[in-house]
Amino acid sequence: MLPARLPKSAVPRTYRRIAPTHDGLAVLVEAQARRLGLDWFDAQDGETLLEVAVGTGLSFQHLLRANPNGWTEGVDLTPAMLRKARRRAEHAATDRYRLREGDAYALDYPDATFDGVLNSYMFDLLPVDDFVPVLREFKRVLRPGGRLVQVNMTPAAHWYQGGWEALYRLHPALLGGCRGVRTAPFLREAGFLNVRRRFVSQWTFPSEVVYGEKPAAGHVP
Ligand SMILES: C[S@@+](CC[C@H](N)C(=O)[O-])C[C@H]1O[C@@H](n2cnc3c(N)ncnc32)[C@H](O)[C@@H]1O
């Protein structure tokens, strides 16, 4: 994995610039992986759900559609991205949600609050040393037995998918600071169970979808 080159302190500034054009590229190259991530997440009506790094709300709108009578929270570090997410969420047929500023490293929720946590295209910005601490933070806010689904940019599986990381090497901001990562081993290290991963490529852009569960109460390792 290439080193992360966008420090957290630069994320809101960088994504304020990206917010107006973010969705074009995202729809073009991330839609299939996002769809698979939502399928694996399998949001049910009546659940309490969290999306971390909700961005412009591309996945959040699907969570609201699936969960009109439960409660859905979305957090992001960048106010400009959240403004777009709010506009998108206003079209939903439910007001049982909240979107607010929040940091994946220190989620402002009590332990065991959520049935599921969804997180897409954020770990590709983080330093590898931060993977396990942030995954433990996701695990903390999940109820026992709750699930985590991540969608990430991932390293190329074939030469013709390598152009995206070449762009990152050239100038990390061109890809919003995203480079390919593989998070499944880190989910296991953070104590998630039943971890699985699938590789998805759309227009040569390589993504991974990763699933894991917090151990149920009384689980014996
Ligand atoms: C590439 S965008 C992806 C947005 C959205 N998840 C999606 O799939 O379209 C990365 C997002 O991660 C957010 N982000 C980065 N670091 C974060 C952190 N520590 N806590 C919360 N959000 C963060 C950025 O503000 C940005 O909105």
Side-chain angles (χ1 to χ4, degrees):
M1 285 185 268
L2 296 171
R5 286 171 60 192
L6 186 69
K8 192 167 82 173
S9 57
V11 166
R13 194 172 61 237
T14 304
Y15 275 87
R16 189 180 63 220
R17 279 200 305 270
I18 288 173
T21 54
H22 172 271
D23 293 356
L25 187 63
V27 167
L28 196 68
V29 300
E30 297 170 359
Q32 288 174 12
R34 189 183 302 284
R35 184 71 257 161
L36 181 64
L38 286 163
D39 283 354
W40 280 13
F41 194 64
D42 193 22
Q44 300 292 316
D45 197 14
E47 290 192 306
T48 303
L49 301 174
L50 171 65
E51 184 177 359
V52 181
V54 70
T56 63
L58 288 171
S59 298
F60 196 75
Q61 59 185 341
H62 295 281
L63 299 184
L64 296 183
R65 211 170 291 142
N67 188 30
N69 298 300
W71 186 258
T72 309
E73 292 266 337
V75 296
D76 198 285
L77 215 48
T78 305
M81 297 290 272
L82 277 169
R83 276 195 290 280
K84 292 197 84 175
R86 284 198 186 98
R87 282 204 290 277
R88 186 164 260 137
E90 278 166 13
H91 298 290
T94 178
D95 58 2
R96 294 194 54 75
Y97 68 90
R98 178 167 62 164
L99 285 161
R100 60 172 174 150
E101 275 178 55
D103 182 358
Y105 286 70
L107 295 168
D108 185 19
Y109 301 102
D111 296 357
T113 302
F114 296 102
D115 298 301
V117 171
L118 182 67
N119 174 237
S120 41
Y121 299 107
M122 183 199 84
F123 262 56
D124 23 37
L125 300 175
L126 306 191
V128 171
D129 286 351
D130 294 354
F131 282 11
V132 170
V134 174
L135 287 167
R136 288 203 174 115
E137 182 62 358
F138 292 176
K139 193 163 141 241
R140 179 185 70 75
V141 300
L142 277 171
R143 66 159 172 79
R147 68 217 184 265
L148 167 66
V149 172
Q150 290 194 302
V151 186
N152 306 307
M153 183 180 171
T154 201
H158 303 285
W159 65 266
Y160 55 82
Q161 296 157 343
W164 299 95
E165 282 202 330
L167 278 182
Y168 175 85
R169 278 198 190 87
L170 206 64
H171 189 43
L174 287 173
L175 279 185
C178 295
R179 88 295 193 198
V181 297
R182 279 194 192 88
T183 65
F186 299 91
L187 263 76
R188 291 189 191 96
E189 191 178 332
F192 285 89
L193 301 177
N194 301 323
V195 175
R196 62 182 196 267
R197 173 195 195 252
R198 192 177 300 166
F199 178 87
V200 178
S201 167
Q202 184 175 3
W203 291 106
T204 73
F205 184 85
S207 294
E208 66 171 8
V209 182
V210 182
Y211 174 96
E213 289 165 9
K214 177 171 174 169
H219 168 79
V220 182

